[in-house]
Amino acid sequence: MSKMKEKGEITVRFSPQELRSLRKTARALGYSSVEEYVRSLAISVLPESYQTSARNNLSLEPIYRTNLGSVYHADALDVLATLESNSVDLIMTSPPFALLKKKDYGNADANEYVRWFAPFAREFKRILKPTGSLVIDIGGSWQKGLPVKTIYQYELLVHLVKEMGFYLAQEFFWWNPARLATPAEWVTIRRIRVKDAVNTIWWLAKTPYPKASNKRVLQPYSKSQLKLFEKGYNAGPRPSGHKISSDAFRRNNGGAIPPNLLALANTESNTAYQRYCKENNLPQHPARFPVLIPAFFIQMLTDSLDLVLDPFAGSLTTGEAAERLGRRWICIEKERVYIEGGIGRFEHESARLNRNFPTGDSYNVAPPVLKPELDNEPLPEDGGQRRTRNVETRTS
């Protein structure tokens, strides 16, 4: 191997065997190129002062600011490289999902997703505080032309835990009761699957003990629990082996501890953001999560003036939640048109006048309903592989 040094750059020549080995290693570690891998190796062996200098050479400036937050129109990796190690309290994000249909905002293929995400994960690990959290909202994906799911979001979780050294603090599930019955081919046409209405949300951390308190996100007590406060609980042993005292469950703690199922319909239709987009002829981001999703985790996992980061910010929903809750925040987004619309979350007159969060509706989850009278209609022997004439007629 020979090297030629010039001002501002280094040219490195590898033998064919060395280059093949480097490419194999770079791909396995999730780097997009040999160059990216070699540069990362070079920076990692420099003293910390030189590493900081190398990162700060990227002179990126925010294109919008509030009293608490900054918005960057840039590639997330470029901005992440400028942030100090152990400086962020919460990374709250919803990266592009690995969907079959490619979106304007960009989304990686399921088979390449972990490799695409790996460079971001390395930066997340570096900039996150030991007490901080990484929260990733990530929806599922279907295999092309088949009524079966990919497992890319679980492969990502395994990579983050097994390879990157994150801890899975807890998994959450966001149930959207208003989601359409999709995929239509399998759900409403062939009727061989049920509505896909849940996203997984991974809560990860650098240590087993990130700072958190469920006291900050307590839910109203149910009517049955309020009655227990008045009448008490039937004391005695339970089939599980637990012994319940007569004083159990009679202490009012100000609310019920929420489950890890977040029931929240994504049905916003007249928010400040949407009005701002309409008034300024701007496209609305097609894959927004409700502001109460990031607000829940920001409230539970951060303190006032802590730093919240969203590297795939879309329409700046995380920034809005952080601003309302009094946290410092950084949002990064590559598509400028979505930033221009997202600014309406802070600049629209109605947003400035009303800083309260929307009130979510309560939902009852129906228990399984059985229809034994339909047993006389046999299940398709081929599992619904062929579209039958009856199906086509029934759904036309």
Side-chain angles (χ1 to χ4, degrees):
M1 180 176 71
S2 61
K3 294 185 290 185
M4 179 178 65
K5 185 174 181 180
E6 299 177 3
K7 185 177 181 181
E9 67 178 39
I10 296 176
T11 300
V12 183
R13 293 189 176 93
F14 298 100
S15 69
Q17 183 178 358
E18 290 172 332
L19 192 57
R20 284 195 298 270
S21 178
L22 279 170
R23 283 172 176 162
K24 182 178 179 181
T25 303
R27 284 197 301 268
L29 294 175
Y31 290 91
S32 60
S33 65
V34 171
E35 290 82 358
E36 181 190 340
Y37 175 46
V38 172
R39 183 175 184 275
S40 177
L41 288 175
I43 292 177
S44 68
V45 298
L46 292 173
E48 179 63 28
S49 59
Y50 286 96
Q51 294 184 38
T52 301
S53 176
R55 289 193 295 270
N56 288 342
N57 282 339
L58 300 170
S59 57
L60 298 170
E61 291 294 331
I63 66 168
Y64 179 77
R65 292 181 186 270
T66 68
N67 290 334
L68 294 172
S70 301
V71 180
Y72 291 83
H73 174 224
D75 184 282
L77 287 175
D78 292 339
V79 180
L80 294 174
T82 70
L83 300 180
E84 293 297 323
S85 300
N86 303 309
S87 62
V88 176
D89 295 282
L90 171 63
I91 301 171
M92 175 76 229
T93 194
S94 182
F97 300 168
L99 303 175
L100 289 177
K101 185 178 180 181
K102 296 304 176 186
K103 302 293 186 179
D104 292 338
Y105 53 83
N107 50 316
D109 182 83
N111 295 327
E112 298 293 327
Y113 199 86
V114 173
R115 184 179 301 172
W116 170 80
F117 197 90
F120 299 100
R122 285 191 292 272
E123 285 296 302
F124 295 165
K125 186 79 178 293
R126 180 184 66 80
I127 65 177
L128 201 62
K129 290 181 180 179
T131 55
S133 292
L134 166 62
V135 178
I136 304 172
D137 163 49
I138 184 165
S141 177
W142 293 78
Q143 293 189 28
K144 187 175 183 179
L146 295 172
V148 292
K149 303 292 291 285
T150 69
I151 57 171
Y152 85 97
Q153 72 269 47
Y154 300 101
E155 291 173 332
L156 176 62
L157 177 62
V158 170
H159 175 78
L160 292 173
V161 174
K162 294 293 188 180
E163 303 298 328
M164 297 299 303
F166 283 99
Y167 291 87
L168 177 62
Q170 197 166 14
E171 70 275 32
F172 280 75
F173 302 92
W174 166 30
W175 170 45
N176 179 2
R179 184 172 290 181
L180 296 175
T182 58
E185 181 65 33
W186 315 124
V187 178
T188 63
I189 298 176
R190 305 196 195 194
R191 305 296 286 270
I192 57 175
R193 298 293 183 267
V194 298
K195 183 167 68 171
D196 197 10
V198 174
N199 276 14
T200 51
I201 299 179
W202 309 133
W203 170 23
L204 301 128
K206 288 172 67 170
T207 73
Y209 293 98
K211 63 181 183 181
S213 175
N214 64 29
K215 294 180 181 179
R216 296 181 175 184
V217 288
L218 297 179
Q219 297 178 338
Y221 284 120
S222 64
K223 292 181 180 179
S224 59
Q225 180 60 51
L226 293 174
K227 289 182 180 179
L228 285 178
F229 289 145
E230 298 177 4
K231 299 181 179 179
Y233 204 83
N234 293 329
R238 294 294 184 269
S240 62
H242 293 94
K243 292 183 179 179
I244 306 299
S245 69
S246 58
D247 294 329
F249 306 109
R250 298 198 67 175
R251 179 179 174 182
N252 189 324
N253 291 305
I257 297 173
N260 61 343
L261 174 67
L262 305 180
L264 189 61
N266 199 1
T267 55
E268 296 176 341
S269 61
N270 194 33
T271 64
Y273 163 72
Q274 290 165 312
R275 290 195 292 272
Y276 185 86
C277 287
K278 292 175 183 177
E279 292 167 6
N280 292 277
N281 197 28
L282 293 167
Q284 297 181 31
H285 195 284
R288 309 183 305 276
F289 52 17
V291 69
L292 286 177
I293 293 291
F296 175 89
F297 290 101
I298 292 170
Q299 183 73 62
M300 185 173 72
L301 304 177
T302 66
D303 292 312
S304 178
L305 294 180
D306 275 357
L307 180 59
V308 178
L309 166 72
D310 189 344
F312 309 105
S315 65
L316 316 183
T317 309
T318 299
E320 177 186 358
E323 184 84 11
R324 292 188 184 193
L325 290 171
R327 272 63 166 175
R328 295 177 299 124
W329 55 272
I330 296 172
C331 280
I332 311 167
E333 173 55 43
K334 288 202 302 184
E335 299 296 331
R336 188 180 182 102
V337 68
Y338 293 138
I339 293 176
E340 292 173 354
I343 288 173
R345 297 181 183 275
F346 313 95
E347 293 297 324
H348 194 272
E349 182 180 4
S350 60
R352 293 195 298 269
L353 294 176
N354 180 18
R355 303 308 299 161
N356 296 321
F357 285 100
T359 302
D361 295 323
S362 296
Y363 298 95
N364 292 320
V365 181
V369 177
L370 309 181
K371 301 256 184 202
E373 66 273 16
L374 296 182
D375 279 354
N376 59 0
E377 184 178 313
L379 298 175
E381 290 287 343
D382 65 352
Q385 185 172 352
R386 290 177 299 130
R387 267 194 178 193
T388 65
R389 185 172 300 176
N390 289 339
V391 167
E392 292 176 2
T393 301
R394 193 162 55 239
T395 59
S396 59

